[in-house]
Amino acid sequence: MTETADTDFRHAQRHIRLDTILRLRWLAVLGQLAAIFIVAQGLEFNVEIVPCVSIIALSAALNLALQTVSNPLQRLKPMQAAGLLALNIVELAGLLFFTGGLQNPFSFLFLAPVLISATALPARLTFGLGLLAVACASVLFFFHLPLPWDSDDPLVLPPIYLIGIWLSIVLAIGVTSLYSFQVTEEARKLADALAATELVLTREQHLTQLDGLAAAAAHELGTPLATIFLISRELEKTVKDPSFAADLKTLREQTQRCRDILSKITQLSSEGAPFDRMKMSELIEEVVAPHRDFGVDIKVRIAVAAFAEPIGSRNPAILYGVGNIVENAVDFARTTVEVNAWWNKDTIELVISDDGPGIPPDILNRIGEPYLSRRRNLDDGGGGERRGLGLGVFIARTLLERTGAKVSFTNRTFPEHGAVVHIIWPRERFETIETLEETIG
């Protein structure tokens, strides 16, 4: 029931394939050549063809060199990918310098490399690329060659309009990059948290398989041990030499001891298997028992009902999920945690509450999301703001909901204080959960 380490599921470095960058750069080369050809030949505008084609040729040569020297499928380090994206910005700035600066409608392509970085690279590199793009746009505001246009009717844009273009580029880079980064980061967090959930389920499944493996091993070893026991007993009857008889007796006794041990393992596997049926009260006691020695009074109340007590499987997902919520309640409680349960013919309800500070209003509607926590840092003596991954509650909620439960988080009504967690199962679903595979599905 412990919090999962941040480094287990979240990686400090993010990688992007060289092939991805090269595809984007080749697309840019083809697009730039097409634009120059259309403007120069189709529209018959006066374009600085030689310097523009030279810049494009250098870009194409670099692409060819990277494809030849490096494996296109290799994953670049963040700094390497950021360097190539920065080169894209500089190349675009060079082309815009010879084709009108910010008056060129293609100046908004400054946004593309920054957006790519926002979705694939760390925030600090995205911020650096954004600053580079803004710096290039600022230089082009003052220094650039005239926009290719009809020489008989030159286009002259007022300075206030150019300022608006510059400002729109800056805002577009900032707003869209920030939005893309946040959306991508949320997707990463959710994917990492789901991976953590699947890992917990896998570990639980491996634990539950140990009993089956033990029973199988006991069954397979039982036959050869029985054979050894019978042969040693017959030999003991026929051998007259006292020394050999004593050794055979020891062999028979140790063989019988092995058979007894295997018999106990088989009995444990059959009588205490992880999917044995258990009453609701027994499930609650098994979850609560490990947390009774932490200085917090845990009160368990089972309501008297007209219907028989529900009996379900000893499901690892339910044990882990409810146990994690009880653990959190004990961590945050001042003196008391209450666990109340009642049921009828249709539903089973479990309510876990504590007398702690409760759930802060700003995260009450988001509780249960991955990487959302205010757990106190143990290194500062218990003081300061609670912080952590928040993966525990996310995993618990996910596991419980996969068993058919509906989980909700509230606070106690004023003047009382503390958090309240409601878990409600359809009774039929709770009593028919049989296997972990069904929970995973």
Side-chain angles (χ1 to χ4, degrees), residues 200-209 275 315-318 399 433-441:
V200 168
L201 280 173
T202 302
R203 288 174 178 172
E204 293 293 331
Q205 186 177 18
H206 288 167
L207 290 176
T208 59
Q209 289 173 346
F275 294 125
N315 186 280
I318 295 178
L399 294 179
I433 296 175
E434 293 291 346
T435 64
L436 186 62
E437 285 76 9
E438 180 180 341
T439 301
I440 296 175

Side-chain angles (χ1 to χ4, degrees), residues 104-115:
N104 191 319
F106 290 103
S107 58
F108 279 91
L109 289 177
F110 276 128
L111 182 60
V114 185
L115 279 178

